[in-house]
Every structure is written in structure tokens, then in C-alpha cells.
Amino acid sequence: MDHGDVRPGGVRPMVVRVPVEPVEAAMEADAVDAAAQVGEVAIRGPLFGVAAQDADDGQRWRVVVSVSTGCPQMARDNLNSLLWFRAKDEAPDRTERRALLTAVARLESEPVDELTVLGTRYRIVRAEEYVGVGPDGIEQPRPTDPEPVTPNWERGSREGKIDDGFVLDPDAPVTPAQAAERLTLRGMAYAGTQYPDDVLLDSRQAVTTHPDILLLPATFKIVERIGTGWKSGSGLHVSAHDARKTLDFSLTWWEPRGRGLIPMEAHPNVDARTRVAENTDTAEGELAAYAEAADQLRAGRVNQLEVLGTVYRIGRVRRLMRWGPDGPEGPRPSDVSQQAPSRIHLPLDEDGNIQYEHEGDGESDGEG
């Protein structure tokens, strides 16, 4: 990464406040400790979501689709779904439903990065995913990161949604640690021969066109150690506990099936724990290792464990969003998508009724 100079007049002033509440003061102390212990930043790449702005929002935007997808088109498809379900379930009349469906039609056929629907401005927004790295590797959850009082290990349950209700406000006061992080990252741009020329150019230009930095809420994911490095082992989670639950499922369900210890066609309720309890599997030793590791995970706030030679860690993932005179940065020309826009939902009529493909085919309302 290259930390070049930013034009002095191109950035917004920051309002810095000193935390006074005990919990916030503890979080600030954690952030200061992390800055001292985690000396480097590793960039994983861009993430995309959707932000919305109403006429009375001023300079603020609100996140309506979490900034967590890997390409712009996935965020566009999520906006498509948001508007389609609003047309289906919430629109009070044909006029509003027609406006929503017109926007859906555009999203089905064009790579739209911004559109206004019923007075609300929607934008595909871009953020950078990064992690702090210290002598011990990727940063783990901090002591003050939110944790449930009583952990829920039921599969399918979640503590919340990433970025749920999060407001993007460039003028909101920040703590000293937040201000320091934002200042440190302002001039950050891609550098190195591993990046194509157009990616490098777009990154350098973004430092000028969107010189300010906003920090999104921390997220968490599973990472696996590969030699001296780490690779991503899951998507983003809203909490460290949700990441642990995903690791628990991986250790007891996915890994045993992937290694042939449990047949893929086995009943979904069969996992390493049930097989070890039944003592029916010939590879009981490896299954027992997975079951024991999962039990260790459930015994406390465990953020790292090793199973059969693989080290798993709950990593603390940070995200930064660039901000310019017109608000949050959108996709760059060099950001690529793996798929083109397409229809992802069945058509709706103006009354909100789903139009199935076979309706009207080969039928007639008239007399034969």
C-alpha cells in the first residue's frame, strides 16, 4: 500500500471527543492497545453494499444493504430484491408499486450504481476490507467487542445483521483512536505489481476524489493459517460469537463430510458429535478430534484452536469507506463483477400479484 499525500484543502475537519462513559472509555483503551500491538494493516479487497439518502438527511446516508458482498453486481441484486419485496409487500397503491417495479426493471437490465425511487436516493457503495496484523498474525476480537451474556449455539440463529441501521455521517464526532485511524488511512492506495494498472490508477484517483475516511462497524470471520500467512475461511459475521457458531458447524458438519468421515448423503442431523456418541464410525479418532475441538469452542470465548494440523482463528475485520463531496464512494471502473444484471424475481403486476411463467400460456378467455 502507498500512503501518498492528500490535498490539504480536500478533506473535512474532524470533531474529536473524549469518551466519558465507562464502556466507551474501555473500548477506547482497547483500541489504543490494539494500535500498539497490531502494527501493520493487510488489505483483502473491496466490499459492496447499498446506502440510501432521503431529502431531509442532509449529508448523512444510511446503510440499507450491508457492505459485505464481494462485487458490485451482488449489491445491485440485493437492491433489486429490496425494492421487489417492498413492491410486493409494502406498496400501498399502484402508483408507488409502479415506481418500484420500474426501478427493478432497470436493475434487471443495467449495471446501475445509483437511482432515485419515490424520493429516496439509492447508491451502490464501496468499502475496503482490511485487518490489523501483529507479530502473532491477524488481530483477534477485543475484550470490549460485544458478546452475548448467554451464548446461543442453535444453528441458524444470529445475533443481528451487519450494518443494520448504521448511519454514515461524515461530521459525527469521533474518539481520538478513531481519528488517528482515519488520519492514518486517508492516503492509502493500492501499490505493487500484483495489481493491474487500471486498479492502481483508480485507487490513486480515489485518494483525491474521495479524500475522507469513514469507519464501518467491526465484523468477524474465520481465518485459517497457511504456512506463515492466513486465508479467509468464512464470510463476515456481525459478532465474534456468530463466527464461532459458523466454526462449530464447520468442525462438526462440513469438515467431516469433506474428509469422507461422514457420508455426504447422511441425515443432516448427523455430525461429529452424534457419530462419536454412537461410536459407530471407523474413523472415530479424527471425528473425535473435531468433536472435542467444537466442545472446546463452546466452553468459553475461544478465538483460536488447532485441529488435525489446521489452526483456526476468529479474526477481527475492519472496513473503511471513502467519502467525497457527494457522499460515499461507489464502484470504481476497475471493480469487476462475475455476472451481468438479470431478472432474479418473478414479475409482479400493479396489484402486487406474482405472475407465474405458465399463466396465460395456451389459454383463452373467449369461446372456442
Side-chain angles (χ1 to χ4, degrees), residues 6 21 29 44 46 50 77 166 175 178 214 218 225 243 286 308 320 337 358:
V6 181
E21 295 294 332
R44 185 171 183 270
V50 182
D77 288 345
F166 188 72
T175 68
Q178 292 168 341
L214 266 66
R225 189 162 64 197
E286 293 185 11
L308 300 177
L320 67 88
S337 295
H358 65 275

Side-chain angles (χ1 to χ4, degrees), residues 80-88 101 104 345-348 354:
N80 182 329
S81 289
L82 181 75
L83 299 177
W84 187 91
F85 279 105
R86 181 176 165 188
K88 175 179 174 291
L101 293 177
V104 168
H345 295 287
L346 291 171
L348 291 177
I354 297 175

Side-chain angles (χ1 to χ4, degrees), residues 143-332:
T144 50
D145 286 327
E147 295 277 4
V149 176
T150 303
N152 180 355
W153 292 95
E154 290 185 13
R155 291 176 182 171
S157 64
R158 289 290 181 268
E159 294 183 34
K161 296 180 180 179
I162 295 172
D163 300 328
D164 190 23
F166 188 72
V167 175
L168 302 167
D169 185 354
D171 296 324
V174 295
T175 68
Q178 292 168 341
E181 187 169 1
R182 286 169 59 167
L183 287 170
T184 300
L185 297 172
R186 264 182 178 171
M188 185 181 66
Y190 293 148
T193 57
Q194 70 270 34
Y195 297 104
D197 290 342
D198 59 340
V199 172
L200 294 173
L201 176 61
D202 284 351
S203 184
R204 290 194 297 268
Q205 289 179 339
V207 174
T208 300
T209 60
H210 295 77
D212 291 302
I213 295 292
L214 266 66
L215 302 177
L216 299 178
T219 54
F220 305 86
K221 66 164 48 177
I222 303 165
V223 294
E224 300 175 19
R225 189 162 64 197
I226 304 296
T228 58
W230 298 83
K231 73 170 186 177
S232 176
S234 76
L236 299 181
H237 296 78
V238 72
S239 70
H241 179 67
D242 274 352
R244 294 186 200 107
K245 284 202 299 189
T246 295
L247 179 55
D248 176 84
F249 180 73
S250 178
L251 294 174
T252 59
W253 205 97
W254 277 114
E255 289 295 335
R257 281 167 170 77
R259 294 170 69 104
L261 304 175
I262 296 176
M264 291 298 294
E265 63 272 14
H267 191 278
N269 290 336
V270 173
D271 63 14
R273 287 190 180 93
T274 59
R275 279 296 173 95
V276 169
E278 295 168 356
N279 195 25
T280 59
D281 200 281
T282 55
E284 182 186 348
E286 293 185 11
L287 277 175
Y290 282 120
E292 289 170 6
D295 289 342
Q296 178 185 350
L297 194 66
R298 292 193 177 204
R301 295 179 181 178
V302 176
N303 292 320
Q304 179 169 310
L305 48 79
E306 182 174 353
V307 191
L308 300 177
T310 299
V311 175
Y312 300 91
R313 173 177 289 187
I314 306 301
R316 190 179 197 272
V317 179
R318 306 185 228 173
R319 294 167 298 157
L320 67 88
M321 180 179 289
R322 287 202 165 274
W323 196 276
D326 192 39
E329 183 184 16
R332 300 172 184 173

